[in-house]
């Protein structure tokens, strides 16, 4: 195969010109025994600056002519496969070996590139995603890297509200949807992003299953959704449905998904949902979830949405909400019993939209 099996293999291809002045490029340059004699990046803001002891350039042929490079290492992120192929072809044509990290575009799908390298008598190798190890350990693995979306770093122009919770099936989807509907009724142009395959009920302006994506792609998908809706609908406020919980026990697998959605949403304000006496989930608690959310993102939890489906204690609803508000110092409501307006008031007061000035 074409996979690099050891750093020693890389050392035999020294010295290198490295394409990509980000995390991948720096990691490659830091491999033991790797000699880097130049760096390339298409980002004009990086060109001319020092990176790992070299000046970043934009001209591969010029670097080849003015250095003793024997190989090119292409360390570009997901979404830059077009540029990766461009530099690979250019390097091979110049008679240099190529080490790639295409990830979503593996070499076995690029037979013409392999034939081109063979015709030029140069080596073409790939840094493996090591799915073979996952397959050995788990008995199954994807056929190729599942990280495929471009990396976004988009800051929303519109106030964003994240609806999280202490567990799965605690009311996040319902709370998000009803908050969006209530905001519309209050004269706000609101939009709702559903991140679950069950996001079939209206109002939902955009629905995709975040759990179908690599966790590395989830934040980009959420940011892309926010950007798309801002361009298409010019909203006053955006509600983003979370999945699972950052703290729930007994089911650790979706916790990373919850974190990725939160990071992608970059919320101004957050609502936390909680279901009492959950019959098949193991929430840690409201306080722990609030602390986890606010520690992870610079957001503020401004209200609590209580799911009373399994509430069995012998006390009135009035006493229950009063106790929660006193304990957590936050507005607390049942989304089905006028709670949406209470929570929306808390949101608008905090972020300063509608009739409220921050």
């Amino acid at each position: 195969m074409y996979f690099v099996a050891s750093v020693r293999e890389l050392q035999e291809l020294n010295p290198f010109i490295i394409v990509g002045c980000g995390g991948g490029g720096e990691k490659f340059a830091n491999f033991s025994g790797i000699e880097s004699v130049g760096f390339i990046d298409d980002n004009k803001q990086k060109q001319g600056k020092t990176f790992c002891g070299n000046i970043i350039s934009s001209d591969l042929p010029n670097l080849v002519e003015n250095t003793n490079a024997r190989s090119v290492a292409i360390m570009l992120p997901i979404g830059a496969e077009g540029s990766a192929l461009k530099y690979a072809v250019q390097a091979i044509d110049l008679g240099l070996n190529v080490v790639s990290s295409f990830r979503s575009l593996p070499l076995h799908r690029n037979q013409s590139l392999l034939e081109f390298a063979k015709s030029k008598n140069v080596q073409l190798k790939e840094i493996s995603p090591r799915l073979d190890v996952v397959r050995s350990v788990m008995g199954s693995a994807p056929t190729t890297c599942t990280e495929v979306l471009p990396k976004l770093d988009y800051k929303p122009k519109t106030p964003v509200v994240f609806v999280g919770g202490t567990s799965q099936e605690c009311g996040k989807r319902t709370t998000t949807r009803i908050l969006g509907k209530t905001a519309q009724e209050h004269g706000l142009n609101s939009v709702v992003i559903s991140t679950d395959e069950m996001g079939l009920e209206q109002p939902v302006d955009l629905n995709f299953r975040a759990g179908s994506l690599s966790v590395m792609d989830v934040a980009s998908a959420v940011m892309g959704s926010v950007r798309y809706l801002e361009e298409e609908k010019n909203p006053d406020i955006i509600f983003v449905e979370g999945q699972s919980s950052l703290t729930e026990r007994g089911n650790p697998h979706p916790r990373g998904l919850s974190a990725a959605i939160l990071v992608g949403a970059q919320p101004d304000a957050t609502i936390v949902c909680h279901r009492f006496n959950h019959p098949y989930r193991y929430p840690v608690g409201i306080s722990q979830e609030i602390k986890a959310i606010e520690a992870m993102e610079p957001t503020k939890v401004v209200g609590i949405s209580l799911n009373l489906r399994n509430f069995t204690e012998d006390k009135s609803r009035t006493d229950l909400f009063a106790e929660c508000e006193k304990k957590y110092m936050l507005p607390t409501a049942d989304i089905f019993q006028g709670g949406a307006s209470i929570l929306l008031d808390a949101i608008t007061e905090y972020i300063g939209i509608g009739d409220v000035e921050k």
Side-chain angles (χ1 to χ4, degrees):
M1 286 298 290
Y2 315 105
F3 291 145
V4 174
S6 68
V7 173
R8 185 173 181 177
E9 283 186 47
L10 297 175
Q11 293 169 350
E12 292 172 355
L13 300 176
N14 272 330
F16 281 90
I17 292 171
I18 300 174
V19 178
C21 299
E26 185 174 10
K27 287 178 185 177
F28 190 92
N30 286 336
F31 275 138
S32 176
I34 290 299
E35 181 184 353
S36 56
V37 294
F39 283 85
I40 295 283
D41 202 287
D42 286 340
N43 187 336
K44 293 183 179 180
Q45 294 182 343
K46 294 183 178 181
Q47 292 166 9
K49 296 182 179 179
T50 300
F51 184 80
C52 295
N54 291 271
I55 301 298
I56 299 172
S57 175
S58 62
D59 189 338
L60 180 58
N62 182 60
L63 267 183
V64 172
E65 184 177 344
N66 290 284
T67 65
N68 61 339
R70 294 178 54 234
S71 305
V72 170
I74 301 173
M75 298 292 115
L76 293 175
I78 293 293
E81 287 78 17
S83 292
L85 283 173
K86 176 189 74 173
Y87 284 114
V89 171
Q90 195 175 33
I92 293 169
D93 195 42
L94 291 167
L96 278 72
N97 306 301
V98 173
V99 175
S100 73
S101 180
F102 289 156
R103 291 184 290 180
S104 66
L105 198 62
L107 290 183
H108 71 269
R109 295 187 180 181
N110 290 271
Q111 290 300 317
S112 59
L113 196 64
L114 292 168
E115 291 297 323
F116 185 37
K118 184 178 179 181
S119 73
K120 291 288 186 176
N121 196 31
V122 298
Q123 295 188 57
L124 179 58
K125 288 190 171 284
E126 178 180 359
I127 295 177
S128 168
R130 301 316 308 264
L131 293 170
D132 57 320
V133 175
V134 176
R135 189 173 290 106
S136 297
V137 172
M138 301 299 295
S140 180
T143 57
T144 186
C145 176
T146 56
E147 180 191 353
V148 297
L149 296 186
K151 296 294 173 286
L152 295 185
D153 187 15
Y154 178 74
K155 181 63 180 174
K157 301 177 180 65
T158 308
V160 176
V161 178
F162 175 75
V163 180
T166 58
S167 69
Q168 290 181 279
E169 290 84 40
C170 67
K172 295 182 293 292
R173 183 175 65 251
T174 301
T175 297
T176 309
R177 179 174 56 84
I178 295 179
L179 278 173
K181 181 180 179 181
T182 304
Q184 288 282 1
E185 293 169 351
H186 282 65
L188 293 172
N189 180 19
S190 66
V191 295
V192 172
I193 297 174
S194 167
T195 56
D196 181 74
E197 76 273 24
M198 296 298 183
L200 305 175
E201 297 174 286
Q202 293 300 313
V204 170
D205 296 272
L206 192 150
N207 167 232
F208 68 94
R209 184 176 184 266
S212 297
L213 302 173
S214 158
V215 72
M216 289 285 284
D217 285 339
V218 172
S220 282
V222 174
M223 289 183 199
S225 299
V226 168
R227 183 176 64 182
Y228 173 83
L229 288 174
E230 284 183 336
E231 293 171 352
E232 292 294 315
K233 299 198 173 185
N234 190 30
D236 297 315
I237 188 169
I238 299 173
F239 294 94
V240 178
E241 172 197 2
Q243 294 299 318
S244 184
S245 158
L246 294 178
T247 61
E248 179 186 0
R249 300 294 151 179
N251 186 27
H253 313 292
R255 287 170 64 190
L257 177 62
S258 178
I261 297 171
L262 174 61
V263 169
Q266 304 168 83
D268 298 272
T270 294
I271 297 295
V272 167
C273 303
H274 178 70
R275 181 174 176 179
F276 289 98
N277 305 315
H278 206 304
Y280 49 92
R281 298 295 181 196
Y282 304 95
V284 175
I286 295 172
S287 293
Q288 292 88 338
E289 192 69 24
I290 292 173
K291 290 177 182 177
I293 289 171
E294 293 183 345
M296 186 159 196
E297 274 292 305
T299 186
K300 173 66 177 175
V301 176
V302 298
I304 299 169
S305 175
L306 293 184
N307 182 334
L308 302 182
R309 177 175 296 179
N310 303 105
F311 184 70
T312 57
E313 293 182 35
D314 186 19
K315 66 175 66 176
S316 70
R317 293 163 53 91
T318 302
D319 289 342
L320 170 65
F321 290 123
E323 286 179 11
C324 286
E325 290 187 353
K326 181 179 180 180
K327 181 176 181 179
Y328 303 112
M329 302 296 291
L330 291 169
T332 304
D334 177 354
I335 203 74
F336 287 117
Q337 300 292 328
S341 293
I342 295 172
L343 296 177
L344 184 63
D345 285 346
I347 292 166
T348 56
E349 180 178 354
Y350 180 74
I351 63 178
I353 64 171
D355 297 329
V356 180
E357 291 186 6
K358 191 171 182 180

